Amino acid sequence: MSVPLDDVTTLPDQHEIASETAVEQEQATLDEAFRRRDDLLRQLDADLAIPATDAVHQVRMRMMAQRRSELSHAEQGLIFGRLDGLDDSVRHLGRVGIPGSNTEEDDPLVIDWRAPAARAFYTATAVDPQGQARRRHIRTSDRTVLGVDDEPLDGSVASELVGEGALLAALGERRTGRMSTAAATLQREQDDVIRADAHGPLVVQGGPGTGKTVVALHRVAYLLFTHSRLAAQGVLVLGPSMRFLDYIAQVLPALGETAIVSATCDTLVPGIRVERDEPRAVAEIKGRALWQRALSEYAASLVPQPRELELIWEGEKYTLDGRRIANALASATSGRSYHAARTVFFEQVHGLLTDAVVERSEETLTQMEEGLEDILAGVDAGLERSDDRAATTGATGAEVDGLLSEDDIERLRDRIAIDRGLDDLLAQWWPALDATAELRRLFTDDALLRRWTPELNDTERASVRREPAGWAGSDIPLIDALADLLGDPGSGGSQGEFLADRAAARRDWVYGHVVIDEAQELSEMQWQMVMRRCPSRSITAVGDIDQAEAPHRHTTWAQAVDAAFGKRWTEARLTICYRTPLEVMALTAPVLRNAGSENEPPRAVRASGIEPWERDTDESGLAAEAALLVEELSARWSGGTVGVVAPLDRLAALRAALPDATVLSATDAKGLEWDATLLVDASGIAAEPRGWNGLYVALTRCTQELGQLHVS
């Protein structure tokens, strides 16, 4: 039967029919997964309502609470992928694992994206299909399947990207001002980093738009899933700013992870906050590794020198000679912080004083026996007649013969240990110290600086001494280092169960893993802060050395981390730019060369179809022109976001002219992204310290459109 030409367009395309059928199939699977998830949540709620009866039950309750959190956060992306095996097997992947109805016999309804069985979804290729015939990306919104993208793994479709359609669709979506999860669209080189071994430091070099932040956060989720011990210690996520931490705040909870503390280097020491800005030159001086050695030697010098001590006990004077004090000091200070050594030393002095009191008591008794033999003979005769009385009264030790028994000595030791007057006397000789006060004393005393920081020249020492009151950002790592060397008086003991608030409130919490974003900005002393919080060196540091704007002078990762890690670290690279369009990345090569970089910019794999544009204005018209351009961009990208990046000295005026817009310096824009960026006065940014690096950052914040406003 022939079909009129005009009616051809009304016939459904075979691809459309197949797609509709696939969507219906995946909708049925998604519905079943949600029913099962809802059943599991109801069962968990019922189990959690039963009070814990013992320690084992409490542990089980914690595990159930974690499982409930994972399931409840999986509303979006419960299923996002499917693998069809060459053996006709079918596996669905999602945010969390969902067991079948009969958990012992049925295959899982959904495999957790972090499970080993899911890895082929990210790594299988036509050249290496890993037993898979097809990969399917499933696009959903809440509980509805919107579409599917099939990728045969037989070589019939050529693409270097995993799930290209789904990835490009995600990259083309409007930005909301919050980072979203990307477990559905991770690429092979990203997945390799996420699943890399957790032992030892891993430094990930990634240019703009390579997904290094996404990789870092999904690595946290993967490690917590794979290594359950990490949850007992928690993971520390360090970001460059509170704005950045707010931007990524919902990613890990959305992945079901709660064993996280998020912070910046400025907020790592409880009770200490940055109170002022500082000159870059001073920040660079204070960031040098030399301070770790200087502060260690300075803290050691604060321990009192051994000498003879005179102590008063119950009205009598006792002298502990210098030799005994020296031995006690050497024993107490070995491998301990100032305050820990002080505590041990006080305990040892209590023991020495106890021994001295016992010695004097026994000497007194001996003298009495030698001088009063006749009287003692009479006393002995009397005691013989009263043996039965002593037995019935329970008198022992010194009560019977004047000698102190072991129990008497132990009671004496206890009394000495709680004598406040004695400890006050010892505290005058070995006082408790405050790290901030001691650091301030060091900073303001030229003689001390000369002694402990001989590497600094006169000008550098003078710049440190002239610093005003209030702590700057570069002071925080020095306070932390000195506080660690001094130790915290009255604290100690085990960490206990991980709770985010508890860990964040303790300067000395030891984490199972640390993730650092924009790691190229850390000074050598900030790296020492990181090491103290993770002595196992299970650290993931992601960043772009070409975006470094901090005052330090390093231009390679070796220069940045060798002072902390030596040569014991591994580097991985992310080479593909997914976010920034081809049209914008074409502008970056000369900027990188001017920044002194020898690296090639990452290779962009998508085009927005919008060429970067430029406008000119003068000083008098800058505010009005910027306001007009932001208004136009906001209209064009309605439902998305627009950001303005400008030199530091123009921020105040632009923020006044654009009260509803996001106006940031290049430094503060680091790690953020918008649909469109208006770059104001690029030459002004380039003129700032390390300004070409900053301009590289500013150029690469957009996902769609870049406009530049030049000021003449």
Side-chain angles (χ1 to χ4, degrees), residues 57 60 189 391 483 565 662:
H57 194 184
R60 184 169 175 269
E189 69 173 11
F565 302 147
T662 300

Side-chain angles (χ1 to χ4, degrees), residues 15-135:
H15 176 74
E16 292 178 359
I17 294 174
S19 179
E20 290 175 2
T21 302
V23 169
E24 291 172 359
Q25 291 173 345
E26 300 305 344
Q27 184 65 62
T29 302
L30 184 63
D31 290 342
E32 183 181 4
F34 267 109
R35 283 193 296 271
R36 181 66 177 134
R37 186 201 78 145
D38 294 344
D39 288 343
L40 291 170
L41 283 172
R42 281 190 290 270
Q43 183 60 54
L44 285 167
D45 286 338
D47 292 343
L48 288 167
I50 302 172
T53 55
D54 54 36
V56 174
H57 194 184
Q58 288 175 349
V59 172
R60 184 169 175 269
M61 293 279 279
R62 287 196 294 271
M63 295 173 62
M64 289 191 295
Q66 173 65 18
R67 176 61 170 159
R68 192 196 184 289
S69 176
E70 291 177 346
L71 290 170
S72 62
H73 281 101
E75 188 73 23
Q76 292 289 343
L78 185 63
I79 292 179
F80 58 69
R82 169 174 150 170
L83 282 171
D84 293 359
L86 292 170
D87 59 359
D88 295 326
S89 63
V90 174
R91 287 175 289 171
H92 283 86
L93 284 70
R95 182 89 44 92
V96 297
I98 304 291
S101 299
N102 187 334
T103 56
E104 294 183 359
E105 298 178 7
D106 294 349
D107 290 333
L109 282 175
V110 184
I111 297 172
D112 192 297
W113 69 273
R114 297 163 290 188
R119 191 170 193 195
F121 185 78
Y122 303 105
T123 58
T125 64
V127 175
D128 179 23
Q130 300 174 30
Q132 308 305 314
R134 180 178 66 177
R135 174 170 39 227

Side-chain angles (χ1 to χ4, degrees), residues 237-535:
V237 175
L238 282 178
S241 67
M242 295 309 297
R243 180 186 289 272
F244 175 83
L245 293 178
D246 182 60
Y247 172 61
I248 67 171
Q250 80 285 2
V251 175
L252 287 168
L255 292 170
E257 300 302 344
T258 57
I260 309 295
V261 171
S262 297
T264 69
C265 286
D266 287 350
T267 64
L268 266 185
V269 181
I272 305 295
R273 290 293 180 266
V274 172
E275 301 165 285
R276 60 177 177 83
D277 295 327
E278 64 185 332
R280 288 176 62 87
V282 178
E284 188 276 323
I285 293 168
K286 291 182 182 177
R288 298 178 193 173
L290 68 89
W291 289 96
Q292 188 63 42
R293 188 268 317 148
L295 292 172
S296 179
E297 294 178 357
Y298 175 57
S301 75
L302 299 174
V303 175
Q305 295 301 303
R307 65 172 176 82
E308 184 179 89
L309 284 183
E310 289 189 351
L311 304 175
I312 304 298
W313 172 250
E314 293 190 340
E316 292 191 51
K317 183 184 295 184
Y318 294 85
T319 300
L320 303 182
D321 62 66
R323 180 185 57 80
R324 290 185 179 183
I325 296 301
N327 290 338
L329 273 172
S331 173
T333 55
S334 178
R336 295 186 178 91
S337 67
Y338 176 94
H339 286 114
R342 179 176 181 267
T343 298
V344 171
F345 177 78
F346 281 19
E347 292 171 354
Q348 291 182 342
V349 169
H350 296 157
L352 292 174
L353 180 58
T354 301
D355 293 342
V357 172
V358 171
E359 278 182 38
R360 182 170 298 180
S361 175
E362 292 177 348
E363 288 173 1
T364 300
L365 180 60
T366 300
Q367 292 170 1
M368 290 176 62
E369 288 175 343
E370 291 175 351
L372 300 171
E373 293 179 357
D374 292 342
I375 297 174
L376 288 175
V379 171
D380 288 340
L383 288 174
E384 290 177 3
R385 292 191 298 271
S386 59
D387 279 345
D388 292 341
R389 181 182 173 191
T392 58
T393 60
T396 61
E399 296 174 356
V400 176
D401 57 12
L403 296 175
L404 294 175
S405 68
E406 290 298 324
D407 289 341
D408 293 330
I409 294 172
E410 193 60 37
R411 282 192 292 271
L412 173 62
R413 192 189 308 274
D414 291 342
R415 288 170 56 209
I416 288 175
I418 62 173
D419 186 276
R420 181 163 298 181
L422 179 61
D423 275 359
D424 287 345
L425 186 63
L426 289 174
Q428 292 176 25
W429 183 69
W430 191 339
L433 299 178
D434 175 71
T436 58
E438 288 305 314
L439 186 63
R440 181 63 65 197
R441 185 165 78 95
L442 175 62
F443 280 173
T444 55
D445 190 318
D446 185 60
L448 289 176
L449 281 175
R450 283 180 179 276
R451 180 179 180 186
W452 302 117
T453 59
E455 302 92 333
L456 301 182
N457 59 39
D458 291 344
T459 301
E460 290 170 332
R461 284 194 300 272
S463 66
V464 171
R465 288 200 317 275
R466 285 196 298 265
E467 283 286 87
W471 297 115
S474 66
D475 293 323
I476 306 300
L478 304 185
I479 293 172
D480 186 66
L482 192 50
D484 184 69
L485 292 163
L486 295 180
D488 298 321
S491 70
S494 63
Q495 296 190 160
E497 178 190 356
F498 174 85
L499 293 173
D501 290 343
R502 176 188 297 165
R506 282 187 57 169
R507 187 201 56 76
D508 59 347
W509 190 274
V510 174
Y511 293 90
H513 193 81
V514 176
V515 167
I516 312 156
D517 206 335
E518 303 297 345
Q520 75 278 356
E521 303 301 335
L522 269 61
S523 70
E524 290 172 326
M525 287 305 295
Q526 287 172 327
W527 280 110
Q528 294 294 332
M529 290 181 79
V530 173
M531 295 283 285
R532 280 188 284 277
R533 284 155 180 80
C534 192

Side-chain angles (χ1 to χ4, degrees), residues 522-604:
L522 269 61
S523 70
E524 290 172 326
M525 287 305 295
Q526 287 172 327
W527 280 110
Q528 294 294 332
M529 290 181 79
V530 173
M531 295 283 285
R532 280 188 284 277
R533 284 155 180 80
C534 192
S536 69
R537 299 190 178 192
S538 181
I539 296 167
T540 301
V542 305
D544 180 6
I545 203 68
D546 293 322
Q547 294 185 56
E549 295 180 86
H552 51 61
R553 299 169 182 170
H554 62 246
T555 57
T556 68
W557 281 112
Q559 293 170 353
V561 304
D562 277 1
F565 302 147
K567 302 300 180 183
R568 298 182 298 277
W569 56 279
T570 304
E571 182 174 4
R573 286 184 171 265
L574 300 173
T575 61
I576 301 173
C577 174
Y578 308 100
R579 176 188 68 214
T580 310
L582 280 162
E583 297 88 344
V584 175
M585 288 304 295
L587 304 176
T588 61
V591 174
L592 274 181
R593 286 195 296 273
N594 285 330
S597 171
E598 298 179 358
N599 296 322
E600 288 294 322
R603 181 168 52 88

